[in-house]
Amino acid sequence: MHIHEYQAKGVLKSFGVPVPEGYLAVDIEGAGEMAARLPGPVFVVKSQIHAGGRGKGSFKELGEGAKGGVRLARSIAEVREHAAEMLGNTLVTIQTGPSGKQVNRLYVEDGSQIEKEFYLSLLVDRATSRVSFVVSTEGGMDIETIAHDTPEKILTFSVDPATGILPHHGRAVAKALELDGDLAKQAHTLVAKLYTAFTAKDMEMLEINPLIVSKDGQLKCLDAKVSFDSNALARHLDIFEMRDESEEDAKEIEASKYDLSYITLDGSIGCMVNGAGLAMATMDIIKFYGAEPANFLDVGGGATAEKVAAAFKIITADPNVKGILINIFGGIMRCDVIAEGVITAVKEVGLTVPLVVRLEGTNVNEGKKIIAASGLNVIPADDLDDAAQKIVNAVGGLN
Ligand code: ADP
Ligand code: MG
C-alpha cells in the first residue's frame, strides 16, 4: 500500500527523522492559512499524488510553459496562486502515465535552502532476504538513470536482521555521501532512525529523493515515498487508515473486495484464469500470438460462482477489453462452478465482446454442457494454444 508524501513525512517525523515543517491543505483558503503558519520567506507548494516526478510534471489543463507539481512561492499570495492552479487539475508525470492524476491535496512546506542533494532508499531485497540501503551522491535524479549511466556512484549494502543496524552502516553512508564532522554524525543517526522506522512499520520501500544538506548545515528529507507490505497492515491500523482509495485503480479495489488477484494492464484481451502460474502462461501465449492482455487475474483455487461472477464483471466493465479469454484448469475449482458463475454474470451485465472459454479438469463435461445449454455466444477451445489463437483472431489480431 502506498501513502502520500505528507503522510510519509508524518510517519518519519514520529521516529525523529528530520523533515521540513509543513501542513496539508485541500483548498486555496487552507493553502494560504497553512503558509501563514510557516516561518517563510520561501514556501513550497507540493501536489500530493501517489506518483513521483511531480516537480518535472505538467498539468493537462494548463498547457505548455506552466510550472510543475512542486513549486516555490515567495509570498502567501503566491502560495494561493499556485494552489489555485494545482487543485482539481490533472498532473502528468513520468510515473503517472499519460492520463495523469487529479490533485486533491496540497502540502505546503517550509522552503529549504539546498546546498547538496543526495539519494537514499531502503527496500526489501528478496535475493538476500534483508533490508537493503541504496545511497548515492546524485540526488534529485531517477535512481534508474544513475544506475544505468554511473553505477559507480551508487552504494548498496544490506543489514543483517540478527544484528540490526550498526554504527558501521552509518559510517558507510556518511563516507559514500562525502560527509564529515557534524554532518557525518547526523548521517549516522539518520540511518539508524530510517532503519527503525522501516522495520517497525513493515515498509516495503522508503525512498528519500532528495535527501539534502541545507545551507545551514542540516541533513533533511525533502521528499519521502513510502509503501508498506499489505500483508502486514493488520498490525498497523494507523497506517491502514492513511489509505487513499481515490489514488488506486477502481477495478483493483473492487477485485480486492472479493479477494481476487487482479492487476490492470494496457492490452485488449481480458483474462480470467485460476492459478498465478497459469495466468502468466496465458498472458505469455496471448502475446505470442500478437495481442496484449488487458489484465492479470487469478480467481484462486477455491473460487465460488459469486467470485467468478464478480471477476467477470470487473473485466467487462473495462472499456479497453475487446475480447475475453477464460482459461480454467479444474483442480480444487470445478469447471461447472466456473460455468455457472460466468452465466450468472453475463445475464446480469450482458456480453458485447467475443468470449473464448477453455475448460479442463474436474467436472469439465458438466461445465461445457452448462455453457452450451445457456445459448450464450461462446467460442469453445480445446487447449491453451487453440484458445489463445481463437481470442486473438476474434479481436482482430495485433493491437
Ligand atoms: P518529485 O520527486 O515528485 O518531483 P520532490 O519532493 O522531490 O518531488 O520535489 C522536487 C524538487 O523540488 C526537489 O528535488 C527539490 O529540489 C525541490 N523541493 C522539494 N521540497 C522542497 C523544499 N521543502 N524546499 C526547497 N526545495 C524543495
Ligand atoms: Mg523526489
Side-chain angles (χ1 to χ4, degrees):
M1 187 189 94
H2 295 275
I3 57 173
H4 287 291
E5 173 201 3
Y6 77 92
Q7 295 165 324
K9 283 179 168 166
V11 173
L12 293 180
K13 197 175 169 195
S14 72
F15 285 87
V17 173
V19 295
E21 184 182 355
Y23 302 98
L24 179 72
V26 293
D27 52 32
I28 301 168
E29 210 51 38
E33 284 166 17
M34 295 304 125
R37 291 193 192 176
L38 295 168
V42 180
F43 311 95
V44 183
V45 187
K46 309 184 78 173
S47 306
Q48 298 297 293
I49 55 169
H50 283 192
R54 295 163 301 164
K56 294 199 178 81
S58 58
F59 284 94
K60 263 193 181 167
E61 295 83 356
L62 303 183
E64 295 291 313
K67 291 190 191 128
V70 175
R71 302 180 183 183
L72 286 182
R74 295 189 185 279
S75 66
I76 290 176
E78 207 186 333
V79 167
R80 293 169 58 101
E81 281 165 29
H82 290 320
E85 284 199 356
M86 292 178 177
L87 282 168
N89 281 340
T90 315
L91 181 57
V92 181
T93 81
I94 45 164
Q95 292 185 9
T96 59
S99 53
K101 287 200 158 171
Q102 194 182 46
V103 177
N104 300 316
R105 305 180 192 194
L106 296 176
Y107 195 46
V108 186
E109 205 175 55
D110 185 29
S112 297
Q113 292 213 309
I114 303 173
E115 178 86 35
K116 283 182 196 154
E117 290 192 321
F118 305 132
Y119 176 94
L120 192 153
S121 65
L122 283 79
L123 48 103
V124 177
D125 179 0
R126 294 180 200 286
T128 56
S129 307
R130 291 177 174 189
V131 175
S132 284
F133 277 75
V134 179
V135 185
S136 174
T137 48
E138 307 302 291
M141 286 170 58
D142 277 349
I143 193 68
E144 290 82 2
T145 312
I146 311 169
H148 183 264
D149 298 346
T150 49
E152 70 282 359
K153 290 191 172 162
I154 299 179
L155 166 76
T156 58
F157 60 87
S158 62
V159 178
D160 186 339
T163 62
I165 200 87
L166 292 171
H168 74 85
H169 295 123
R171 286 198 293 274
V173 170
K175 186 164 176 247
L177 298 179
E178 297 160 12
L179 300 173
D180 46 31
D182 183 53
L183 278 168
K185 278 195 199 132
Q186 291 183 42
H188 300 168
T189 1
L190 178 73
V191 163
K193 284 175 175 166
L194 290 175
Y195 182 82
T196 306
F198 191 94
T199 48
K201 293 291 180 192
D202 290 306
M203 293 180 188
E204 213 165 51
M205 203 203 64
L206 162 56
E207 188 181 55
I208 314 288
N209 189 20
L211 167 71
I212 63 144
V213 175
S214 63
K215 288 231 157 71
D216 56 357
Q218 300 299 312
L219 206 53
K220 255 190 283 185
C221 301
L222 241 57
D223 191 8
K225 215 173 153 202
V226 176
S227 64
F228 298 87
D229 179 350
S230 303
N231 294 313
L233 287 173
R235 56 184 186 194
H236 302 295
L237 291 180
D238 56 331
I239 302 293
F240 185 69
E241 280 167 9
M242 293 179 187
R243 185 170 177 192
D244 180 359
E245 290 199 350
S246 70
E247 289 286 326
E248 297 173 21
D249 185 301
K251 296 189 289 297
E252 291 178 15
I253 294 174
E254 183 64 16
S256 70
K257 287 185 196 153
Y258 292 91
D259 205 19
L260 297 160
S261 303
Y262 175 93
I263 294 165
T264 303
L265 300 169
D266 297 332
S268 62
I269 297 183
C271 306
M272 183 152 98
V273 189
N274 65 331
L278 189 59
M280 284 192 275
T282 306
M283 287 159 52
D284 278 350
I285 201 158
I286 287 172
K287 280 172 175 274
F288 180 77
Y289 283 109
E292 295 285 334
N295 65 281
F296 169 93
L297 171 59
D298 172 10
V299 292
T304 56
E306 187 204 6
K307 210 166 155 178
V308 170
F312 194 80
K313 283 184 210 162
I314 292 167
I315 294 176
T316 49
D318 181 349
N320 294 326
V321 168
K322 303 286 181 272
I324 300 171
L325 172 54
I326 296 182
N327 182 24
I328 298 291
F329 178 76
I332 302 169
M333 157 86 84
R334 295 177 356 232
C335 293
D336 53 325
V337 170
I338 284 282
E340 268 164 20
V342 170
I343 289 162
T344 312
V346 170
K347 280 188 184 145
E348 221 174 289
V349 295
L351 181 65
T352 53
V353 295
L355 170 64
V356 172
V357 177
R358 181 248 174 167
L359 297 175
E360 196 55 82
T362 310
N363 291 0
V364 61
N365 291 330
E366 286 86 337
K368 283 182 175 167
K369 265 187 228 153
I370 291 172
I371 288 183
S374 72
L376 290 180
N377 183 17
V378 172
I379 309 166
D382 295 326
D383 57 35
L384 186 47
D385 209 49
D386 181 41
Q389 290 184 58
K390 279 179 173 156
I391 192 63
V392 173
N393 287 336
V395 301
L398 292 170
N399 57 31

